[in-house]
Amino acid sequence: MSTADDHHSRAIAALANRDYELAGDAYTRSAWARLSEPRDGRSPFEADENGWVGKGIASLVIAAVAYRVADLPSRATHRGVEGVAVTRDLGRALDHPVQQACLDEFVADCRVAGGLDDPATAYGEAAEAYEAAADTVESPQRWGTTPLFEAAAGPLQQAARSVANGEIAIAWEDLHGSDPSNPGSFLAHRAQYKRRRFPELVDRVLADGHLAAPRGTTEYNNANHRCPACDATDVNWVTGHTLCMRCSTPMSK
Protein backbone atom coordinates (compact mmCIF):
# COMPACT_ATOMS: atom_id res chain seq x y z
CA MET A 1 0.00 0.00 0.00
CA SER A 2 1.39 3.39 -0.95
CA THR A 3 1.83 6.17 1.58
CA ALA A 4 -1.05 8.10 0.02
CA ASP A 5 -3.33 5.05 0.16
CA ASP A 6 -2.32 4.35 3.76
CA HIS A 7 -3.26 7.86 4.86
CA HIS A 8 -6.48 7.66 2.86
CA SER A 9 -7.41 4.44 4.65
CA ARG A 10 -6.75 6.15 7.99
CA ALA A 11 -9.00 9.02 6.90
CA ILE A 12 -11.84 6.59 6.18
CA ALA A 13 -11.35 4.93 9.57
CA ALA A 14 -11.50 8.34 11.24
CA LEU A 15 -14.72 9.20 9.42
CA ALA A 16 -16.20 5.91 10.57
CA ASN A 17 -15.31 6.83 14.16
CA ARG A 18 -16.58 10.39 13.64
CA ASP A 19 -13.20 11.80 14.55
CA TYR A 20 -13.28 14.55 11.98
CA GLU A 21 -10.11 16.32 13.09
CA LEU A 22 -8.16 13.11 12.60
CA ALA A 23 -9.92 12.59 9.27
CA GLY A 24 -8.87 16.07 8.16
CA ASP A 25 -5.28 15.35 9.17
CA ALA A 26 -5.23 12.01 7.33
CA TYR A 27 -6.82 13.44 4.19
CA THR A 28 -4.26 16.24 4.25
CA ARG A 29 -1.37 13.81 4.51
CA SER A 30 -2.86 11.69 1.74
CA ALA A 31 -3.14 14.80 -0.42
CA TRP A 32 0.48 15.79 0.15
CA ALA A 33 1.69 12.29 -0.69
CA ARG A 34 -0.50 12.07 -3.79
CA LEU A 35 0.53 15.52 -5.00
CA SER A 36 4.18 14.60 -4.57
CA GLU A 37 3.86 11.43 -6.67
CA PRO A 38 0.45 11.05 -8.36
CA ARG A 39 1.42 7.57 -9.66
CA ASP A 40 4.53 5.46 -9.20
CA GLY A 41 7.41 7.28 -10.83
CA ARG A 42 5.28 10.16 -12.12
CA SER A 43 6.00 13.79 -11.34
CA PRO A 44 3.12 16.22 -10.73
CA PHE A 45 4.90 18.68 -13.01
CA GLU A 46 4.66 16.45 -16.10
CA ALA A 47 1.84 16.57 -18.63
CA ASP A 48 -0.66 13.80 -17.93
CA GLU A 49 -3.73 13.20 -20.04
CA ASN A 50 -5.31 11.23 -17.19
CA GLY A 51 -4.67 13.88 -14.54
CA TRP A 52 -3.96 11.48 -11.67
CA VAL A 53 -2.87 14.42 -9.54
CA GLY A 54 -6.54 15.33 -9.20
CA LYS A 55 -6.88 12.75 -6.43
CA GLY A 56 -4.54 14.83 -4.30
CA ILE A 57 -6.55 18.01 -4.85
CA ALA A 58 -9.78 16.17 -4.02
CA SER A 59 -8.26 15.04 -0.72
CA LEU A 60 -7.53 18.67 0.17
CA VAL A 61 -11.17 19.54 -0.55
CA ILE A 62 -12.48 16.76 1.69
CA ALA A 63 -9.92 17.61 4.37
CA ALA A 64 -11.30 21.15 4.47
CA VAL A 65 -14.87 19.88 4.90
CA ALA A 66 -13.78 17.46 7.63
CA TYR A 67 -12.07 20.25 9.56
CA ARG A 68 -15.19 22.38 9.35
CA VAL A 69 -17.31 19.52 10.71
CA ALA A 70 -14.75 19.28 13.53
CA ASP A 71 -15.29 23.01 14.17
CA LEU A 72 -11.76 23.90 13.11
CA PRO A 73 -12.50 26.65 10.58
CA SER A 74 -8.98 28.09 10.44
CA ARG A 75 -7.52 24.73 9.43
CA ALA A 76 -10.26 24.36 6.83
CA THR A 77 -9.33 27.78 5.49
CA HIS A 78 -5.67 26.73 5.26
CA ARG A 79 -6.62 23.63 3.23
CA GLY A 80 -8.82 25.71 0.95
CA VAL A 81 -6.12 28.31 0.33
CA GLU A 82 -3.55 25.55 -0.16
CA GLY A 83 -5.83 23.79 -2.62
CA VAL A 84 -6.33 26.93 -4.69
CA ALA A 85 -2.58 27.60 -4.82
CA VAL A 86 -1.65 24.03 -5.74
CA THR A 87 -4.38 23.82 -8.36
CA ARG A 88 -3.26 27.03 -10.02
CA ASP A 89 0.32 25.77 -10.10
CA LEU A 90 -0.69 22.44 -11.66
CA GLY A 91 -2.10 24.33 -14.64
CA ARG A 92 1.47 24.56 -15.90
CA ALA A 93 1.56 20.78 -16.44
CA LEU A 94 -2.08 19.92 -17.19
CA ASP A 95 -2.11 22.22 -20.16
CA HIS A 96 -4.96 20.89 -22.27
CA PRO A 97 -7.72 23.57 -22.26
CA VAL A 98 -10.35 21.17 -20.93
CA GLN A 99 -8.04 20.05 -18.10
CA GLN A 100 -7.42 23.67 -17.19
CA ALA A 101 -11.18 24.20 -17.07
CA CYS A 102 -11.44 21.25 -14.68
CA LEU A 103 -8.73 22.81 -12.54
CA ASP A 104 -10.81 26.01 -12.46
CA GLU A 105 -13.69 23.84 -11.24
CA PHE A 106 -11.43 22.50 -8.49
CA VAL A 107 -10.53 26.06 -7.47
CA ALA A 108 -14.21 26.75 -6.89
CA ASP A 109 -14.57 23.52 -4.90
CA CYS A 110 -11.66 24.57 -2.68
CA ARG A 111 -13.36 27.90 -2.08
CA VAL A 112 -16.60 26.21 -1.02
CA ALA A 113 -14.93 23.59 1.17
CA GLY A 114 -12.61 26.06 2.88
CA GLY A 115 -15.29 28.68 3.43
CA LEU A 116 -13.45 31.15 1.19
CA ASP A 117 -14.97 34.13 -0.60
CA ASP A 118 -16.93 34.10 -3.85
CA PRO A 119 -17.01 30.50 -5.05
CA ALA A 120 -19.90 31.40 -7.39
CA THR A 121 -17.60 33.59 -9.48
CA ALA A 122 -15.02 30.79 -9.59
CA TYR A 123 -17.64 28.33 -10.84
CA GLY A 124 -18.70 30.87 -13.45
CA GLU A 125 -15.10 31.13 -14.64
CA ALA A 126 -14.88 27.33 -14.86
CA ALA A 127 -18.08 27.15 -16.92
CA GLU A 128 -16.73 29.80 -19.30
CA ALA A 129 -13.45 27.88 -19.60
CA TYR A 130 -15.31 24.70 -20.54
CA GLU A 131 -17.26 26.59 -23.21
CA ALA A 132 -14.05 28.09 -24.56
CA ALA A 133 -12.40 24.65 -24.70
CA ALA A 134 -15.22 23.11 -26.76
CA ASP A 135 -13.31 23.14 -30.05
CA THR A 136 -10.48 21.11 -28.49
CA VAL A 137 -12.76 18.32 -27.20
CA GLU A 138 -13.73 15.43 -29.45
CA SER A 139 -15.28 13.22 -26.75
CA PRO A 140 -16.50 14.98 -23.61
CA GLN A 141 -17.59 11.62 -22.16
CA ARG A 142 -14.01 10.37 -22.32
CA TRP A 143 -12.67 13.44 -20.56
CA GLY A 144 -15.45 13.21 -17.98
CA THR A 145 -14.30 9.71 -17.00
CA THR A 146 -10.57 10.48 -16.65
CA PRO A 147 -9.12 10.39 -13.12
CA LEU A 148 -8.90 14.20 -13.01
CA PHE A 149 -12.59 14.71 -13.72
CA GLU A 150 -13.70 11.80 -11.55
CA ALA A 151 -11.62 13.19 -8.67
CA ALA A 152 -13.31 16.56 -9.10
CA ALA A 153 -16.70 14.85 -8.78
CA GLY A 154 -15.73 12.92 -5.63
CA PRO A 155 -16.11 15.55 -2.89
CA LEU A 156 -19.52 16.63 -4.19
CA GLN A 157 -20.74 13.03 -4.29
CA GLN A 158 -19.35 12.30 -0.82
CA ALA A 159 -21.07 15.34 0.66
CA ALA A 160 -24.31 14.36 -1.09
CA ARG A 161 -24.37 10.81 0.27
CA SER A 162 -23.69 12.21 3.76
CA VAL A 163 -27.17 13.73 3.78
CA ALA A 164 -28.94 11.08 1.66
CA ASN A 165 -28.83 8.04 3.96
CA GLY A 166 -25.72 6.79 2.21
CA GLU A 167 -27.30 6.52 -1.24
CA ILE A 168 -25.84 7.77 -4.52
CA ALA A 169 -27.52 11.16 -4.50
CA ILE A 170 -25.56 12.60 -7.45
CA ALA A 171 -24.83 10.37 -10.42
CA TRP A 172 -22.41 11.07 -13.27
CA GLU A 173 -25.42 11.86 -15.47
CA ASP A 174 -26.60 14.57 -13.06
CA LEU A 175 -23.27 16.32 -13.23
CA HIS A 176 -23.11 16.63 -17.01
CA GLY A 177 -25.27 18.09 -19.72
CA SER A 178 -27.69 16.08 -21.82
CA ASP A 179 -26.07 16.63 -25.22
CA PRO A 180 -22.49 15.35 -25.64
CA SER A 181 -22.48 16.62 -29.21
CA ASN A 182 -22.19 20.08 -27.63
CA PRO A 183 -19.05 19.46 -25.54
CA GLY A 184 -18.76 22.97 -24.12
CA SER A 185 -22.23 22.97 -22.60
CA PHE A 186 -22.00 19.27 -21.70
CA LEU A 187 -18.95 19.90 -19.49
CA ALA A 188 -19.87 23.42 -18.36
CA HIS A 189 -22.91 21.85 -16.72
CA ARG A 190 -20.49 20.41 -14.12
CA ALA A 191 -19.57 23.85 -12.85
CA GLN A 192 -23.12 25.20 -13.10
CA TYR A 193 -24.52 22.22 -11.18
CA LYS A 194 -21.86 22.49 -8.49
CA ARG A 195 -22.47 26.22 -8.11
CA ARG A 196 -26.05 25.38 -7.13
CA ARG A 197 -25.48 22.25 -5.09
CA PHE A 198 -22.07 22.06 -3.43
CA PRO A 199 -22.42 25.05 -1.05
CA GLU A 200 -25.86 23.82 0.00
CA LEU A 201 -24.60 20.29 0.59
CA VAL A 202 -21.62 21.46 2.65
CA ASP A 203 -23.97 23.58 4.77
CA ARG A 204 -26.17 20.53 5.38
CA VAL A 205 -23.17 18.37 6.30
CA LEU A 206 -22.11 21.01 8.82
CA ALA A 207 -25.63 21.29 10.22
CA ASP A 208 -25.84 17.51 10.65
CA GLY A 209 -22.29 17.25 12.00
CA HIS A 210 -21.71 14.18 9.87
CA LEU A 211 -19.44 13.56 6.88
CA ALA A 212 -19.90 10.08 5.41
CA ALA A 213 -17.19 7.88 4.03
CA PRO A 214 -17.06 7.71 0.25
CA ARG A 215 -18.98 4.92 -1.42
CA GLY A 216 -17.02 1.84 -2.41
CA THR A 217 -18.46 -1.60 -3.15
CA THR A 218 -21.91 -1.97 -1.62
CA GLU A 219 -24.43 -4.69 -0.88
CA TYR A 220 -27.97 -4.34 0.39
CA ASN A 221 -29.45 -6.70 3.00
CA ASN A 222 -26.28 -8.59 3.81
CA ALA A 223 -27.27 -11.21 6.36
CA ASN A 224 -23.70 -11.46 7.70
CA HIS A 225 -23.37 -7.86 8.86
CA ARG A 226 -25.40 -5.54 11.05
CA CYS A 227 -24.72 -1.92 12.01
CA PRO A 228 -24.38 -1.50 15.80
CA ALA A 229 -25.51 2.12 15.50
CA CYS A 230 -28.57 2.05 13.23
CA ASP A 231 -29.26 -1.71 12.84
CA ALA A 232 -28.93 -1.55 9.03
CA THR A 233 -27.70 -4.56 7.05
CA ASP A 234 -26.54 -2.58 4.00
CA VAL A 235 -22.75 -2.69 3.66
CA ASN A 236 -20.15 -0.37 2.17
CA TRP A 237 -16.68 -1.88 1.61
CA VAL A 238 -14.20 0.95 1.09
CA THR A 239 -10.38 1.01 1.33
CA GLY A 240 -10.27 -2.17 3.38
CA HIS A 241 -13.01 -1.12 5.81
CA THR A 242 -16.43 -2.71 6.23
CA LEU A 243 -18.83 0.11 7.02
CA CYS A 244 -22.54 0.66 7.29
CA MET A 245 -23.74 2.05 4.00
CA ARG A 246 -26.24 4.21 5.87
CA CYS A 247 -24.20 5.90 8.60
CA SER A 248 -20.56 4.85 7.92
CA THR A 249 -20.24 3.09 11.29
CA PRO A 250 -17.93 0.03 11.32
CA MET A 251 -20.10 -3.05 10.80
CA SER A 252 -20.17 -6.02 13.11
CA LYS A 253 -20.89 -9.64 12.15
Side-chain angles (χ1 to χ4, degrees), residues 154-251:
L156 174 74
Q157 292 168 324
Q158 188 169 344
R161 76 181 304 269
S162 301
V163 297
N165 199 29
E167 295 288 358
I168 299 174
I170 296 175
W172 191 89
E173 293 78 10
D174 298 321
L175 196 55
H176 298 88
S178 58
D179 182 11
S181 68
N182 188 344
S185 295
F186 183 85
L187 293 173
H189 186 76
R190 295 173 58 98
Q192 295 159 351
Y193 185 86
K194 282 187 175 182
R195 179 168 53 192
R196 296 192 304 271
R197 294 298 312 279
F198 197 30
E200 168 208 353
L201 287 169
V202 169
D203 285 346
R204 290 179 63 189
V205 166
L206 296 179
D208 289 352
H210 170 59
L211 176 62
R215 187 169 174 127
T217 301
T218 58
E219 182 180 352
Y220 291 84
N221 299 317
N222 185 305
N224 296 318
H225 294 87
R226 184 170 299 277
C227 178
C230 70
D231 212 36
T233 56
D234 304 323
V235 186
N236 179 29
W237 288 280
V238 55
T239 64
H241 301 285
T242 303
L243 307 180
C244 175
M245 194 182 79
R246 300 302 173 188
C247 67
S248 294
T249 299
M251 293 287 266

Side-chain angles (χ1 to χ4, degrees), residues 16-40:
N17 291 321
R18 303 207 175 199
D19 186 339
Y20 297 114
E21 180 178 1
L22 182 59
D25 291 347
Y27 270 120
T28 299
R29 296 179 72 184
S30 178
W32 290 341
R34 187 76 67 190
L35 291 169
S36 175
E37 189 175 29
R39 298 281 278 180
D40 288 346

Side-chain angles (χ1 to χ4, degrees), residues 53-203:
V53 76
K55 289 188 174 183
I57 307 171
S59 289
L60 288 177
V61 175
I62 290 295
V65 177
Y67 282 135
R68 290 179 69 187
V69 177
D71 197 23
L72 296 167
S74 63
R75 297 182 74 181
T77 297
H78 293 158
R79 294 292 85 77
V81 170
E82 180 181 1
V84 170
V86 167
T87 302
R88 292 298 191 205
D89 188 42
L90 290 173
R92 299 171 182 269
L94 302 184
D95 56 359
H96 190 287
V98 76
Q99 288 182 311
Q100 293 192 338
C102 189
L103 292 176
D104 288 341
E105 180 185 323
F106 257 129
V107 166
D109 293 342
C110 290
R111 290 189 175 280
V112 172
L116 308 181
D117 292 339
D118 207 10
T121 296
Y123 281 125
E125 292 171 351
E128 291 174 1
Y130 279 125
E131 294 282 7
D135 291 343
T136 70
V137 178
E138 292 185 3
S139 173
Q141 300 102 315
R142 184 185 70 80
W143 282 108
T145 54
T146 59
L148 177 67
F149 281 72
E150 289 186 338
L156 174 74
Q157 292 168 324
Q158 188 169 344
R161 76 181 304 269
S162 301
V163 297
N165 199 29
E167 295 288 358
I168 299 174
I170 296 175
W172 191 89
E173 293 78 10
D174 298 321
L175 196 55
H176 298 88
S178 58
D179 182 11
S181 68
N182 188 344
S185 295
F186 183 85
L187 293 173
H189 186 76
R190 295 173 58 98
Q192 295 159 351
Y193 185 86
K194 282 187 175 182
R195 179 168 53 192
R196 296 192 304 271
R197 294 298 312 279
F198 197 30
E200 168 208 353
L201 287 169
V202 169
D203 285 346

